[in-house]
Amino acid sequence: MTGEGTTPRPVRILLADDQPLLRTGFRMVLGSEDGLDIVAEAGDGVEAVELSRRLLPDVVLMDIRMPRMDGVAATRAIVDARLPVRVLILTTFDLDEYVVGALRAGASGFLAKDVPAEDLITAIRTVAAGDAVVAPRILKRLLDRFADALPDPAATPPKALNALTEREREVLVQMARGLSNAEIARELTVSETTVKTHVGHVLTKLGLRDRVQAVVLAYESGLVRPRT
């Protein structure tokens, strides 16, 4: 237990990218930040999984395309092994289809590779704390691209959604639109604590790991559709 006045344990990060220059850049940005500790680097997915098993980092900063095993398969291996490790995917817009696979595999979020340093640092801390990162701009682009494959909103929603109360369903819709707990609280005129409770109930009732999977389910079920 951390005592009063004790410095919190730093967030331990594994960098997984097949380009040494990019890993160096991330190390320079993150290594200079208080409270973040780069524990290792992996040049491919197999190595990322092996190091995750051995070192148990808090967060793996995972590239999508890597040799031997891509980021999607590596993410799935880490999640299936039930390691206390969270995966934050880095992508580029031309690889959007891989992100959907990564989210389904259990990634805790995704960011563009050109994300500002301060946003990357915030995302890492958010994921390490057990929450998930949904980048609305990228999510909208993804969902617009695959909109034709989404269910008709007039169709009967999946039975799983019937377990939600009306307010929990409202919260899920707002989550899917990329709103934070504070923003949802303002939108629904309730306290942020109440929203946090509703989010927890949504995840538990739907058997979801985190907020990102809730967003994906909301769109896949037709509860929410991409805005034009």
Side-chain angles (χ1 to χ4, degrees):
M1 181 180 295
T2 301
E4 186 176 352
T6 302
T7 303
R9 182 177 70 83
V11 176
R12 302 172 68 252
I13 303 166
L14 168 63
L15 301 177
D17 196 298
D18 64 331
Q19 298 184 49
L21 187 59
L22 283 178
R23 295 201 307 270
T24 299
F26 286 128
R27 178 177 284 276
M28 290 176 62
V29 170
L30 301 177
S32 62
E33 183 71 17
D34 290 339
L36 300 183
D37 182 17
I38 310 297
V39 297
E41 297 181 18
D44 60 58
V46 171
E47 190 177 10
V49 175
E50 291 174 349
L51 288 172
S52 293
R53 290 178 180 274
R54 180 157 56 88
L55 301 177
L56 297 180
D58 298 304
V59 177
V60 179
L61 208 55
M62 183 84 76
D63 186 23
I64 286 285
R65 277 193 170 178
M66 293 185 291
R68 294 210 290 169
M69 179 186 288
D70 65 27
V72 175
T75 297
R76 183 176 294 108
I78 291 170
V79 172
D80 287 350
R82 299 185 179 278
L83 302 177
V85 177
R86 312 278 288 183
V87 178
L88 179 57
I89 296 289
L90 292 177
T91 185
T92 51
F93 282 143
D94 61 326
L95 298 178
D96 286 345
E97 65 272 21
Y98 289 89
V99 179
V100 173
L103 294 178
R104 287 172 175 157
S108 294
F110 59 94
L111 296 172
K113 279 193 173 182
D114 60 355
V115 64
E118 59 270 23
D119 290 350
L120 175 60
I121 291 167
T122 298
I124 289 172
R125 295 189 191 281
T126 299
V127 168
D131 207 339
V133 176
V134 180
R137 181 170 61 95
I138 302 177
L139 182 62
K140 182 183 186 303
R141 183 182 175 97
L142 280 169
L143 294 167
D144 283 346
R145 180 171 176 177
F146 297 112
D148 290 342
L150 294 172
D152 183 343
T156 304
K159 290 183 179 180
L161 294 180
N162 293 337
L164 303 182
T165 65
E166 183 177 350
R167 180 45 60 95
E168 288 165 355
R169 190 178 291 225
E170 288 176 337
V171 169
L172 176 56
V173 168
Q174 300 304 326
M175 288 166 59
R177 289 174 177 159
L179 272 62
S180 66
N181 285 354
E183 291 168 333
I184 295 173
R186 289 194 294 271
E187 184 75 17
L188 301 181
T189 321
V190 296
S191 72
E192 190 171 346
T193 300
T194 298
V195 172
K196 193 170 184 179
T197 299
H198 286 316
V199 170
H201 289 166
V202 168
L203 299 182
T204 299
K205 289 182 177 181
L206 298 181
L208 303 173
R209 184 169 183 260
D210 55 35
R211 197 182 192 96
V212 172
Q213 291 189 338
V215 171
V216 173
L217 175 64
Y219 280 96
E220 287 185 331
S221 68
L223 182 64
V224 178
R225 291 186 68 82
R227 293 176 176 177
T228 56

